[in-house]
Amino acid sequence: MKTAIITGITGQDGAYLAALLCQKDYKVVGLIRSYHTINRKGLKYLGIQDQVELVECDLADLSQVMATIKEYKPDEIYNLAAQSSVSLSFRQPIGTIQFNVVSVLNILEALRMLDSPAKFYQASSSEVFGDSELPIRETTYINPISPYSISKASAHWITKNYRESYGLFGCSGFLFNHESYLRSENFFVKKVILQAIKIKKGHAETLEVGNIDIKRDFGWAPKYVEAMYLMLQQDTPEDYLICSNRSVTLRSVIECVFKELDVSMDRLVIDEKLFRPTEIEDIYGDNSKSKKQLGWEYDLSFYDVLKTLIEEELANGKD
Ligand code: NAP
């Protein structure tokens, strides 16, 4: 039986990845901040709360990370824990950069010092590419334009450096936006769906948004975590883009959700206070390397994903 450590197991991707690895008969060890504040929503929703072992570990503390790796001797480590919001990173730049960078360095230093053979996955992001020539490819120049993306770019370069300097098996997955029922409520698509349902039920008047003329490449989270697993099953470590190959405007996402729920576009309010200091105008990637080398399959239109998300939200009765 293989053992996998997942950091950030309480987040969207952590829960879906844990479910995938449980299906594959892994022993799954999830690192959490504290037993007192743990959010079990995702693990419960996927019915795996009793199948994973949850362990307190402060990823900012090298001695704790070393002790955990020594105890569990993982075959694979999926590092998903991060302050993951671009908007919040503008309000909390220091905390975002400190945690998102030091946590990665601690895990890689621990692996190096313990001479561990564990394969390491780093959750990187399309945000590191900033406003670049499209489509984004694995060879595209890294050009981060927010505190979040600066932290993810640094974490990627650290992973690459440990791979090249010490021969560690470390991969970065540059994932583009991906959504699910388990997405936090502060992210755009989830926020739009929840608020549209509230408006439909008469519990809210308007949806307030920032700049919705920008375009993003959105995908379906349960399929994206499959790519993380595949990256660590390869013989050699490489970095991959995980994306849908096309972008849509945020406005068209709202139009689709409002149409599905029969909500008038008059309920939409643009609030300039919600605009970010810097913003990527349009971004989409080319997933041909992931499809070819990893055998990863993805062919969903985001409008179909949106319909599934709305159905799941309505079925769970949330308003
Ligand atoms: P998420 O739902 O926001 O989950 C983040 C996880 O990180 C949670 O388990 C959270 O734990 C943990 N975490 C945050 N700050 C922490 C800290 N200071 N100490 C310890 N744990 C901390 O994120 P996600 O959507 O699953 O994304 C997973 C990873 O992929 C993240 O690194 C994210 O930046 C990256 N990514 C996501 C996307 C996307 O579209 N979802 C795209 C590209 C990259 P708590 O429950 O205790 O808060």
Side-chain angles (χ1 to χ4, degrees), residues 7-15 31-34 37-39 57-59 79-85 99-100 121-127 148 152 173-179 182-184 187 228:
T7 75
I9 195 164
T10 52
Q12 166 186 268
D13 292 5
L31 304 193
I32 54 164
R33 299 190 218 214
S34 154
T37 57
I38 178 170
N39 163 19
C57 178
D58 179 358
L59 296 170
N79 183 37
L80 311 182
Q83 190 303 91
S84 64
S85 158
F99 179 76
N100 290 3
Y121 170 82
Q122 170 57 22
S124 197
S125 165
S126 56
E127 291 285 329
Y148 169 78
K152 287 291 181 179
F174 295 98
L175 271 61
F176 288 55
N177 297 60
H178 46 283
E179 310 297 319
L182 296 182
R183 189 68 144 147
S184 302
F187 286 90
M228 301 177 185

Side-chain angles (χ1 to χ4, degrees), residues 102-164:
V102 170
S103 55
V104 182
L105 200 47
N106 280 341
I107 298 172
L108 289 166
E109 261 302 271
L111 292 176
R112 183 185 71 79
M113 289 197 279
L114 295 169
D115 205 14
S116 163
K119 292 180 168 182
F120 175 78
Y121 170 82
Q122 170 57 22
S124 197
S125 165
S126 56
E127 291 285 329
V128 303
F129 298 108
D131 260 324
S132 298
E133 193 180 322
L134 301 175
I136 303 293
R137 296 198 169 85
E138 282 80 359
T139 49
T140 300
Y141 184 70
I142 288 179
N143 176 33
I145 60 170
S146 66
Y148 169 78
S149 56
I150 290 166
S151 75
K152 287 291 181 179
S154 306
H156 160 63
W157 284 114
I158 292 167
T159 304
K160 187 170 183 292
N161 182 253
Y162 272 68
R163 178 167 79 208
E164 291 170 356

Side-chain angles (χ1 to χ4, degrees), residues 41 181 185 190 194 197-198 201 312-319:
K41 180 188 164 194
Y181 175 70
E185 297 181 10
K190 180 84 172 181
L194 285 178
I197 292 173
K198 280 188 187 165
K201 292 186 174 175
E312 205 170 344
E313 205 66 59
L314 290 171
N316 284 293
K318 189 96 198 274
D319 64 0

